[in-house]
Structure formats: C-alpha cells, structure tokens
Amino acid sequence: MELNRRTLIAGAAAAGVTAALSGTAHASGGGRGPMKSLFGRLADGTRIHSWSLENGGTRLKVLSYGGIVQSLEIPDRRGRYTNVSLGFDTIEDYVSSSPYFGALIGRYGNRIGKGRFTLDGKAYQLSVNDGENSLHGGSQGFDKVVWDIEPFTKGSDVGLYLYYTSVDGEMGYPGTLRTKVTYTLTRTGDWRVDYEATTDKATVVNLTSHVYWNLAGEASGTIYDHELSIAASRYTPVDSGLIPTGELAKVAGTPFDFRRTKTVGEDIRVAHQQLLYGKGIDHNWVLDKGITSRPEWVATLRDPSSGRTLKIATTEPGLQFYSGNFLDGSLVGSGGTVYRQGDALCLETQHFPDSPNQPSFPSTVLRPGQTYRTTTVHSFGA
C-alpha cells in the first residue's frame, strides 16, 4: 500500500498486496492482476507509483498521484492497440502543467461561482483558481494529492481501491471527507468507476474523472470527426465566466443538440454565444434520465477511422462535455506530439456546475451519517 501523510484510512491485508506486487495476482478470462512500479518522485521525495492492469481486452495504467489514468489502451476493428487518453510520460509534467489529464476530480468537479457558497446559514470561501471562480476543487484539488492504493482481484474482475482523506477546511471546504474510489476492469473490458465518500460535517461533494479521450489514438489529431450522441434534451447555459445562469435550456435548434448522432465538429464553429463563451464546447448536459440508482446509458462516442467506440453509463444527472478548447500547443504529450485545440474531448459524469449556488439544481450536499455514492461505466468496442 502506498502511504500518504494526509490520509487517515488504513490499508489492505498484506497478503493481497504482496501477491499484486509480485505479479502473481491474475484474474480469469485473460485478466492480469494489478502490478506496481515506480513512476517518479515529487520534489519532496514522495514516491509516485504506476499500477498496470489488464482485463477483457482493456489495458489501464493508473498513477497514485491524482488517481490519474496515465494510459488506457483498447484495440481497433483490426485488433491493433493504442492509447486513447491524453497524458504525460513524467511526473514532473503532471505536477507542473497538466490540465487535469486523466485525473480524479474533487472535492467539487466543475466550477463554483466566485468560489463561494452558503450552507446551513454559514458562508464558505473556497480556493479560487479559475479567474474569480473555483474549478475542480481549487488550486490543490484531488487531482494533485497522493492517493493510497490497494489492488484487488475478485473472480474475473481486477481493479484498484483508491483512498484519500480531505481534512476539514482543505481548500475552504467544511468537514473531514473520507473518499474511496474503485477502478474496476471487468472480464468484458469495461472500466467501471465507483465513488464513495462520508463526512463529519455538512459539506458539498461532486466527484468525477477527467480523462481526455481520442479514440483514434493519443497524438492522432483532432476529435472533430468523432461521432457523438448524448441522451439529453436540455443543457445549462453559462455566463462569460462559464458559470451556469440557472436556466435549463432546450438543446433543440442549437449546436448542443446531440440527441441524434453527429460529428463533434459539425456545429462547433457556429456563431452561437455559448460557443464563444467556451471557445468551443464546455457545457453541462441535463441528462434525460436524471439521477438513477443504477448506471444507465447516456452517451456514445465513435471514431469512424478505427471503429473504436466508447459507451458511457452513469447514475449521475449531468454530463460535462468539453471539446479540448484550451489545449494551446504548449504541452507535449506521451506520444511526443504537441497537443492542440480539439485533440481530445472529455465526457465528465457529474452533478451540475455551481449547484451549491443554484437551488433549482439537484443538491450536492452531503451530511454526517450519509454516504455519497455514484457509479460510471465505460464500455469499449470496435
């Protein structure tokens, strides 16, 4: 188990960890139990490890820093593997310049206006790191902490338990939040993410994953020819700071209508004020299904050149679709190529942005005695 000075959660049984470290933990059905290796060190000497696992035709590498998906490889229609997520080769790049590549996001995914909210009559000021707003948990969100990791093999599934405890007041949030995230590769190659959290004081929580997808392969060019459908009839328009106005607007007749499958680039350069605000798409879709107790299918992404597909199912009510608008050519990725605008997209399952300040949005409040639970499943094909 990897030790994190700030974590209060204890680890796994020693025998299970030993098996994983020795590479002897294997799942049936072609799976390979999680294997650990040193990825690098932080400036203070903290070791950052990479965990590699494979099952059902999917290969996944996860870092203890930020819970980052460093690579995710799937085959195309001819069985040829490639990494379909953007990332870096060194820990130094992740620390110095990553725009949340592959990271776990918390305490609050997306934006909170002016970094402020009021809960039970008390005002809270959060870390502000996106103009005047708080983005993805603040300047030291869950994407920039070291997670404790336990490997597991259960029947034909393999995976990782990731633990982090955020102390009361961290980044301005109330309550000590104990978080557990489970990454599972199933025997069919699905990547399932289960989020859990508890608190000792009323707080707000909105956890998500920030993988940048390009199904043609990392460093292969733009995703504008990818075909996308989203099961949502409404979205949340934003102001110039990308904070929701509170309206649940219809997608019909706008560039945000993905109820029928269309290419990502079909309407992305339409002269629409919302696209001008986001320099492309950076908006939350209000999923037709709402909050559900079990994951339901909400989006399908397909790359016609390789045949690769990604289907997303979730229990969450929202989906943030970000079209990689702020990739500006200043970052060199793991494939040795410069990342530019539109070279990947994110599909972040979540509650809505700025919900703590929007009474009409689904609540993100978590209270003592409650357990925050959400699930998202990524299914791949070709």
Side-chain angles (χ1 to χ4, degrees), residues 20-336:
L21 296 182
S22 65
T24 59
H26 296 274
S28 59
R32 186 180 69 201
M35 293 184 291
K36 178 182 175 183
S37 61
L38 182 65
F39 184 74
R41 297 175 187 265
L42 299 182
D44 65 0
T46 301
R47 293 186 177 193
I48 302 302
H49 291 97
S50 171
W51 290 86
S52 300
L53 52 159
E54 180 176 353
N55 206 12
T58 301
R59 302 168 180 169
L60 181 66
K61 288 187 178 180
V62 176
L63 304 182
S64 55
Y65 181 80
I68 287 169
V69 173
Q70 197 253 340
S71 69
L72 193 152
E73 298 181 8
I74 54 174
D76 65 8
R77 61 167 65 93
R78 297 181 181 179
R80 298 174 298 189
Y81 276 84
T82 195
N83 175 25
V84 296
S85 65
L86 270 57
F88 297 120
D89 282 333
T90 70
I91 189 60
E92 290 79 13
D93 284 336
Y94 280 109
V95 171
S96 66
S97 55
S98 178
Y100 306 100
F101 284 154
L104 280 177
I105 302 298
R107 287 188 190 190
Y108 199 98
N110 221 308
R111 295 173 175 87
I112 294 180
K114 295 182 170 46
R116 302 173 190 161
F117 69 93
T118 299
L119 179 58
D120 296 338
K122 183 175 180 178
Y124 294 93
Q125 178 63 59
L126 307 175
S127 166
V128 171
N129 62 328
D130 183 52
E132 64 179 5
N133 304 316
S134 182
L135 174 65
H136 294 330
S139 60
Q140 285 290 121
F142 287 6
D143 60 295
K144 296 179 180 68
V145 303
V146 181
W147 292 72
D148 292 342
I149 296 183
E150 298 177 14
F152 69 84
T153 300
K154 288 186 177 179
S156 57
D157 294 343
V158 299
L160 303 169
Y161 297 124
L162 297 94
Y163 298 99
Y164 179 69
T165 295
S166 175
V167 298
D168 184 22
E170 185 173 281
M171 296 293 103
Y173 287 91
T176 295
L177 190 79
R178 291 173 169 82
T179 307
K180 175 185 178 182
V181 180
T182 305
Y183 288 169
T184 304
L185 284 187
T186 71
R187 63 180 180 81
T188 57
D190 291 351
W191 174 43
R192 176 180 173 124
V193 186
D194 293 283
Y195 304 89
E196 298 178 39
T198 60
T199 184
D200 61 359
K201 186 185 297 185
T203 191
V204 294
V205 186
N206 190 27
L207 306 179
T208 191
S209 172
H210 210 293
V211 174
Y212 282 67
W213 302 102
N214 186 324
L215 298 183
E218 180 272 344
S220 65
T222 76
I223 41 77
Y224 294 146
D225 62 348
H226 279 39
E227 299 163 350
L228 177 65
S229 64
I230 303 174
S233 303
R234 295 175 296 169
Y235 76 108
T236 52
V238 296
D239 63 19
S240 60
L242 301 182
I243 299 299
T245 63
E247 179 186 5
L248 304 182
K250 293 181 178 179
V251 300
T254 77
F256 302 95
D257 192 352
F258 283 86
R259 292 174 297 173
R260 67 167 180 84
T261 301
K262 67 177 181 182
T263 64
V264 171
E266 181 172 327
D267 295 320
I268 205 165
R269 301 196 185 279
V270 170
H272 190 284
Q273 184 61 61
Q274 288 294 307
L275 295 180
L276 294 174
Y277 282 152
K279 298 184 178 178
I281 298 171
D282 192 3
H283 293 76
N284 168 68
W285 268 250
V286 180
L287 298 173
D288 290 340
K289 72 173 188 63
I291 300 172
T292 49
S293 59
R294 295 182 179 182
E296 295 186 11
W297 300 113
V298 296
T300 301
L301 183 68
R302 179 178 181 270
D303 168 46
S305 65
S306 66
R308 294 187 185 93
T309 61
L310 164 64
K311 292 183 66 177
I312 295 177
T314 189
T315 58
E316 289 282 67
L319 180 75
Q320 183 82 8
F321 169 22
Y322 168 57
S323 57
N325 318 321
F326 299 106
L327 297 174
D328 60 4
S330 63
L331 303 177
V332 179
S334 56

